[in-house]
Amino acid sequence: ITVRFSRNDTTDQTATLALDTNDEGATSDTENISLTANVSEAATDAELSSPGTRDFGTVGINATASDTFTIGFEGDDDLNVTNVSLSGATDVFTVNATEADLSGENITLADGEETTFDATYTPDAETNQTATVTITGRVDGNNISTSTTLVGSGRAPDLAATQQRFRFGAVE
């Protein structure tokens, strides 16, 4: 007899297997066998292996600063990334997955694997700006997510060039 167990959460499960018997020495016509499945908690944590906040510092207006951050995964089952989203100041921050597209397709991480993301900041005003990158996935049927904050400050140019004409008249 093969008994299979499929878990749907992290709670230990019990059941009784009832077998009809024609054993003359049995005390009843049915033998009840207790079954217990000890369920360990699923790996439900993808962790950013870089700091939770990525600070681009002060960047000149319309100039671009770049940074790369990495997420790593530890767990018994594969992490299937289902979405990578950017919220907040999305007009000045961008994020590109270097190993797959941002919809999360093609990103599967096994235990100990990691993937990188490239982020850019191109301020359009002299102000502090913030965005959040959220990475969502599934591990063994459990939803997980992790995020990092992107911050930067726009700065007006220090020097502006203007065109001027000088007339010196006749030079001897």
Side-chain angles (χ1 to χ4, degrees), residues 58-83:
T58 302
V59 179
I61 293 173
N62 297 321
T64 299
S66 299
D67 195 6
T68 299
F69 64 95
T70 302
I71 63 164
F73 176 70
E74 293 180 17
D76 294 333
D77 296 310
D78 289 351
L79 164 67
N80 295 306
V81 176
T82 56
N83 191 38

Side-chain angles (χ1 to χ4, degrees), residues 107-147:
I107 302 177
T108 300
L109 300 176
D111 183 40
E113 289 185 332
E114 56 186 32
T115 189
T116 58
F117 296 87
D118 292 326
T120 61
Y121 172 53
T122 308
D124 58 1
E126 196 169 0
T127 186
N128 295 326
Q129 296 167 313
T130 303
T132 302
V133 180
T134 303
I135 299 145
T136 307
R138 292 183 63 77
V139 176
D140 194 31
N142 295 300
N143 291 320
I144 63 168
S145 66
T146 190
S147 61

Side-chain angles (χ1 to χ4, degrees), residues 34-67:
S34 294
L35 304 173
T36 301
N38 296 314
V39 181
S40 63
E41 187 169 326
T44 58
D45 190 28
E47 77 180 55
L48 286 170
S49 54
S50 60
T53 298
R54 304 302 291 206
D55 190 348
F56 288 83
T58 302
V59 179
I61 293 173
N62 297 321
T64 299
S66 299
D67 195 6

